[in-house]
Amino acid sequence: MAAGGAGAWWWTRSDEASGPVSCSTLLADARIQDALGSSFRTSMSCSELGEAMKKAAVGDEAGVHTETQAQAMRDILQSTDDALTTSGQKSIESSLRLPLAQLIADYTPDTYEIFKALDADYVKHASDDKPWSDSSGVHMAVWDDTLIRVTRAVADNPDAYAYVRDAQTRHAARVLIDIPRSADGVTLATPAAGNASALGALDAVAQDVTKDASSQAATEWTKDVVTALKRSAPAPVPHYGADPVGYIRGTWAAQLSPAAAGVVPKDFTEQGVQLLDLWAKGRADGFKPSENLRKDCRNSQSERYGDTLDTLKKASAGKLALGPSVPGPAGVATPGSA
């Protein structure tokens, strides 16, 4: 996804006025210096820093990492979050937004679990301060508020936000496809509601980006996100039997449309249910999600939205324990109601 357009320009100019976290601030952090290793130079430009971060944390194969790369990713996220919370800013230098979004996307199996906030292993390993390995490969964990704030920092660039959302959509589709066709009860509800929870965190990021913007700027941001998601989706949409992930992702993206200014699009806030319905339709075996299952997905997405929005409202939040999503506090708007 290429950055650009009037919407991206406005967000860049707005952040320059309010003072985003600078590249020099990150370069002064010893954790960034260690993560970059031999690539580090004090005179690096922002674009060079972004490329060096990707070189340090991304492997030769998408989504596959060594423990050294995963440690670099963890250090990059934590040092960026510390710079944000120390400065009281919500944004970072514009040249770093897309590279950091690409990092978050490359670690989607991990960032999905962190956004979802339901996996106990990620609680344990966020405290361990080290990556770990299991049968599926190498993983890294940070506290969920850290990932939320860094994602918010990159999201001023609509292409960067779309990059993260598209990666999470693809992963959510894979989660559904991996559910056995005979599954019911908890074995069906847990992954479906987990998808919705992870997507609810991204709804809150979108709401936080647009809530204080002018009507025109908020509208442009949402329009640019939708355009980027449509552009990145497969076209024409493949048949489910040939490419189930492409079918779910492409069909969802094809029907996207921008919302009113300052309102998170309904296709975002209903995405957990929509992906579930598309999976059921693609299976073509007569399975139809129950209304209770669809309600569970809506509730999970809405509750995670409220919890995440509350995190973003805190100028200096403590480390939040990952765990089951809980309803946002009284007064927090539900998705689409702002």
Side-chain angles (χ1 to χ4, degrees), residues 13 19 34 38-39 57 60 78 153 165 167 169 176-177 188 205 211 223 225 230 256 259 270 280-281 290 334 338:
R13 296 296 301 172
D34 288 344
S38 61
S39 296
D60 295 332
Q78 290 186 314
R165 184 122 200 170
T169 298
L176 291 171
I177 293 161
L188 175 60
V205 171
K211 67 181 175 62
K223 179 182 177 182
V225 169
K230 284 178 173 289
L256 285 173
E270 290 276 317
K281 181 179 179 181
S290 69
T334 57

Side-chain angles (χ1 to χ4, degrees), residues 10-21:
W10 186 94
W11 289 105
T12 299
R13 296 296 301 172
S14 173
D15 287 336
E16 287 173 354
S18 60
V21 168

Side-chain angles (χ1 to χ4, degrees), residues 182-192 293 296:
S182 60
D184 58 11
V186 174
T187 58
L188 175 60
T190 298
L293 178 57
D296 285 346

Side-chain angles (χ1 to χ4, degrees), residues 8 19-20 57 60 66 68 111 122 159 168 186 201 203 226 254 259 271 294 328:
D60 295 332
T66 65
T68 299
T111 55
Y122 281 80
D159 288 314
Q168 296 294 321
V186 174
D203 293 341
V226 167
Q271 190 178 7
R294 300 174 86 248

Side-chain angles (χ1 to χ4, degrees), residues 2 18 37 64 84 123 146 153 173 199 213 282 292-293 320-322 326 328 331:
S18 60
V64 179
L84 290 164
V123 180
T146 290
L199 295 166
N292 282 340
L293 178 57
L320 304 176
L322 290 166
V326 296

Side-chain angles (χ1 to χ4, degrees), residues 55-73:
K55 180 181 177 181
V58 174
D60 295 332
E61 183 180 348
V64 179
H65 311 103
T66 65
E67 289 194 5
T68 299
Q69 290 164 345
Q71 184 65 56
M73 178 61 172

Side-chain angles (χ1 to χ4, degrees), residues 166-184:
D166 182 55
Q168 296 294 321
T169 298
R170 279 179 278 145
H171 188 79
R174 293 189 191 100
V175 168
L176 291 171
I177 293 161
D178 287 342
I179 299 173
R181 292 203 173 203
S182 60
D184 58 11

